[in-house]
Amino acid sequence: MSFFTSPQVQVSSKAIELLNGVLGKENISTAESVRDHHSRDESSLQAFLPDCVVFPKDTLQVSECMKICYAHSLPVIPFGTGTGLEGGITAVKGGVCMDLSHMKQILSVNQEDFDCTVQPGVTRMMLNSDLRATGLWFPVDPGADASLCGMAATSASGTNAVRYGTMRENVMNLEVVLSNGDVLHSAGGGRRTRKTAAGYNMTNLFVGSEGTLGVITQATLRLYGIPEATLSAVCQFQSVQSAVDATVATLQAGIPIARIEFLDDVQMKACINYSNLEGLQELSTLFLEFHGTDDSVKAQADVVGEIVQLNEGSDFMYATEAEDRNKLWTARHSAFYAASSLRPGSRILTTDVCVPISELPEIITQTKNDISKSSLLGPIVGHVGDGNFHTLLLIDPEDESERKIAKDLANRMAQRALAVGGTCTGEHGIGIGKRHLLAEELGQVGIQTMRSIKEALDPKGIMNPGKVFL
Ligand SMILES: Cc1cc2c(cc1C)N(C[C@H](O)[C@H](O)[C@H](O)COP(=O)(O)OP(=O)(O)OC[C@H]1O[C@@H](n3cnc4c(N)ncnc43)[C@H](O)[C@@H]1O)c1[nH]c(=O)[nH]c(=O)c1N2
Ligand SMILES: CC(C)C(=O)C(=O)O
Ligand SMILES: [Mn+2]
């Protein structure tokens, strides 16, 4: 992997001195190792070094830093935990990487109202471990232990979204420091209602904004009761089509399934070896989970079991004990790393299309055929309950021809999704690699409207430049 230093902007010693004044010398770094750590996310995309990394400790410091960067026209790249998959934190124009990990307070938990407010350094696992004693949890689950504000910034979802929604449905209010240092509360200061009709939905403007409109310094989130009973199960199929047909039939039957995840035969091969899954074969597979009372989870599982039988699937293998459930879901969450282990030394180009669920069987089958005609290995894994799936295209990062084959596959997949009313990204965002697809997906008026919003909120174009827009 090659590295680039700032191609356009250099942070002057004067600006560094001013940032030092706000943060103290120990909370700003120009060290190569620190800049290197902040130059790339978990994707296979090119790394770009920021000129310096700052570690503010509160909203006031974020605001003071933004005022300096605004005055000096310096790019600012907000950084959560760096688990993104679309190059969102790479400093393509150099500038200041703002690492928010020192702001890690859970500011409030309102048990009676089922909500909480967190700072940007709080990760989803930190929150859920803190909440355990209250009987509440935050269900949005991208697998990686991402920061909750980073998850808001990318509009993340994951395995539980089919039942509990994505970040879009679960963020109630955001505190955002704008490019000029002003502090905005997207739903008004202190507001935490389940619904509002008060003007424009500014909260959802920032959900999915990928650091291009401001720095999220607080998020107020919806919480849920930990279900009384949880039942997980696995079943296997002889074809992709029958596994996905069973998924669509389950959703159409209105079962309130909590998780329904598809893994194709190639992904299963990877997971069986990587996570030691015994008793499972290299076949199209569904991992399922039901939430409710003891009786209701059994009733749901019975109905889905019948649907699976009708689609020629295997009997359910149940995971009832917490230890077995953890093993199953850890294997699912490790799918990305399991895939990579199929080809040591490879990196992954990840795709993320999402389509109306009735279109899912056709597009997954077409995609699988397309991959098998190429020279690449590309396991498929997906949140099929949302119509969302990923191909994990394994490439040699030094081989440009392989990268091109993978990009072409990804583009064809996106074109197929767009043609049937789908999107190029269900959950990972646009970052740098999908900007051309965004323009196509939204059309000219759509992209121009987005640009107008960007220009109004970030007139100097300093917020995470080079992302989202071409
Ligand atoms: C193994 C594995 C598996 C998955 C995933 C990753 C990995 C490594 N992901 C992707 C990833 O976890 C997800 O994009 C997170 O929401 C990113 O959160 P970070 O805190 O790491 O943001 P990160 O630091 O990576 O930043 C991502 C983007 O958000 C911006 N940003 C971060 N914090 C911000 C803040 N406070 N204010 C403003 N902008 C900010 C950044 O500038 C950047 O553009 C995922 N995702 C998903 O939705 N579903 C999934 O199933 C998975 N699965
Ligand atoms: C493939 C990874 C990145 C993912 O989103 C998932 O496991 O769902
Ligand atoms: Mn995913």
Side-chain angles (χ1 to χ4, degrees):
M1 169 104 22
S2 48
F3 295 91
F4 290 83
T5 45
S6 343
Q8 292 175 25
V9 182
Q10 290 290 327
V11 178
S12 65
S13 50
K14 173 71 188 160
I16 300 263
E17 194 185 310
L18 290 169
L19 291 167
N20 263 335
V22 170
L23 300 162
K25 278 194 168 50
E26 63 286 7
N27 293 314
I28 173 165
S29 179
T30 51
E32 184 81 14
S33 60
V34 178
R35 293 162 63 217
D36 178 30
H37 173 70
H38 291 81
S39 67
R40 75 183 92 82
D41 58 11
E42 296 261 359
S43 69
S44 56
L45 292 157
Q46 192 75 63
F48 291 90
L49 293 165
D51 293 299
C52 67
V53 184
V54 298
F55 298 88
K57 73 169 190 329
D58 57 26
T59 302
L60 184 61
Q61 286 195 346
V62 173
S63 169
E64 292 303 314
C65 287
M66 285 312 309
K67 286 179 190 162
I68 294 166
C69 294
Y70 188 81
H72 292 253
S73 298
L74 296 176
V76 177
I77 306 103
F79 184 100
T81 54
T83 68
L85 294 165
E86 296 298 338
I89 51 87
T90 56
V92 290
K93 299 208 170 171
V96 178
C97 174
M98 190 175 280
D99 182 326
L100 297 147
S101 60
H102 290 194
M103 296 173 66
K104 49 168 69 134
Q105 284 181 55
I106 298 173
L107 296 168
S108 63
V109 175
N110 298 300
Q111 266 179 260
E112 304 79 9
D113 298 324
F114 288 53
D115 68 58
C116 69
T117 298
V118 298
Q119 287 189 324
V122 177
T123 68
R124 67 179 187 88
M125 287 186 190
M126 283 164 69
L127 177 65
N128 278 330
S129 104
D130 197 81
L131 286 174
R132 202 154 293 140
T134 66
L136 301 176
W137 70 311
F138 183 69
V140 183
D141 162 29
D145 190 21
S147 74
L148 291 153
C149 290
M151 287 165 58
T154 57
S155 190
S157 40
T159 59
N160 289 306
V162 62
R163 169 82 176 255
Y164 299 94
T166 72
M167 290 306 280
R168 286 210 193 271
E169 290 79 36
N170 285 293
V171 179
M172 303 163 90
N173 201 348
L174 292 171
E175 179 186 84
V176 183
V177 178
L178 300 175
S179 68
N180 62 1
D182 283 355
V183 181
L184 167 79
H185 291 93
S186 61
R191 320 266 147 237
R192 49 187 185 87
T193 54
R194 303 221 137 207
K195 56 193 245 185
T196 169
Y200 298 160
N201 188 340
M202 293 198 287
T203 303
N204 268 350
L205 177 60
F206 288 93
V207 175
S209 61
E210 301 186 37
T212 63
L213 297 180
V215 185
I216 300 172
T217 47
Q218 276 180 28
T220 300
L221 306 169
R222 285 181 73 158
L223 300 175
Y224 296 78
I226 295 174
E228 193 182 305
T230 299
L231 180 62
S232 301
V234 180
C235 55
Q236 301 204 283
F237 299 80
Q238 293 301 327
S239 72
V240 174
Q241 179 85 34
S242 46
V244 186
D245 282 348
T247 304
V248 174
T250 298
L251 296 166
Q252 287 171 344
I255 312 292
I257 198 146
R259 289 166 150 171
I260 182 160
E261 297 282 311
F262 170 77
L263 298 86
D264 80 346
D265 54 335
V266 189
Q267 183 66 62
M268 280 306 290
K269 176 183 169 134
C271 287
I272 288 168
N273 292 328
Y274 188 85
S275 298
N276 272 325
L277 296 179
E278 286 144 27
L280 290 172
Q281 299 177 53
E282 294 169 20
L283 292 173
S284 293
T285 302
L286 291 177
F287 286 13
L288 306 111
E289 191 163 273
F290 306 96
H291 292 174
T293 60
D294 278 334
D295 287 345
S296 79
V297 293
K298 284 195 194 97
Q300 291 175 55
D302 284 348
V303 178
V304 179
E306 277 171 32
I307 292 172
V308 167
Q309 293 295 319
L310 286 172
N311 286 281
E312 294 163 359
S314 71
D315 288 341
F316 277 163
M317 285 154 267
Y318 285 107
T320 26
E321 300 306 317
E323 195 186 326
D324 297 332
R325 289 204 311 269
N326 283 343
K327 183 166 183 197
L328 185 68
W329 292 108
T330 304
R332 167 61 190 88
H333 285 140
S334 307
F336 184 78
Y337 303 109
S340 166
S341 74
L342 287 173
R343 185 179 175 193
S346 65
R347 299 287 311 233
I348 297 182
L349 192 147
T350 317
T351 66
D352 181 34
V353 299
C354 184
V355 295
I357 53 161
S358 61
E359 301 288 350
L360 204 54
E362 176 82 1
I363 191 170
I364 296 192
T365 307
Q366 287 171 341
T367 299
K368 200 162 165 53
N369 289 340
D370 206 7
I371 295 172
S372 50
K373 275 188 245 146
S374 80
S375 52
L376 296 184
L377 256 184
I380 300 181
V381 59
H383 315 293
V384 279
D386 302 321
N388 183 202
F389 69 96
H390 313 295
T391 61
L392 307 177
L393 303 169
L394 304 185
I395 54 169
D396 171 352
E398 306 302 333
D399 185 337
E400 277 312 311
S401 67
E402 283 200 3
R403 195 179 285 277
K404 167 135 183 16
I405 293 171
K407 277 187 177 170
D408 288 347
L409 276 166
N411 270 327
R412 285 198 292 278
M413 216 177 301
Q415 295 304 336
R416 279 195 286 272
L418 294 181
V420 296
T423 170
C424 65
T425 175
E427 54 178 24
H428 296 161
I430 298 295
I432 49 182
K434 298 204 188 90
R435 292 173 300 165
H436 62 296
L437 292 168
L438 180 71
E440 198 172 332
E441 184 165 328
L442 295 181
Q444 214 202 328
V445 176
I447 204 80
Q448 192 46 51
T449 306
M450 257 197 198
R451 256 186 215 292
S452 308
I453 294 169
K454 166 81 174 164
E455 279 159 21
L457 291 179
D458 180 22
K460 289 193 168 187
I462 61 170
M463 289 309 312
N464 209 1
K467 315 296 162 56
V468 178
F469 299 99
L470 271 177

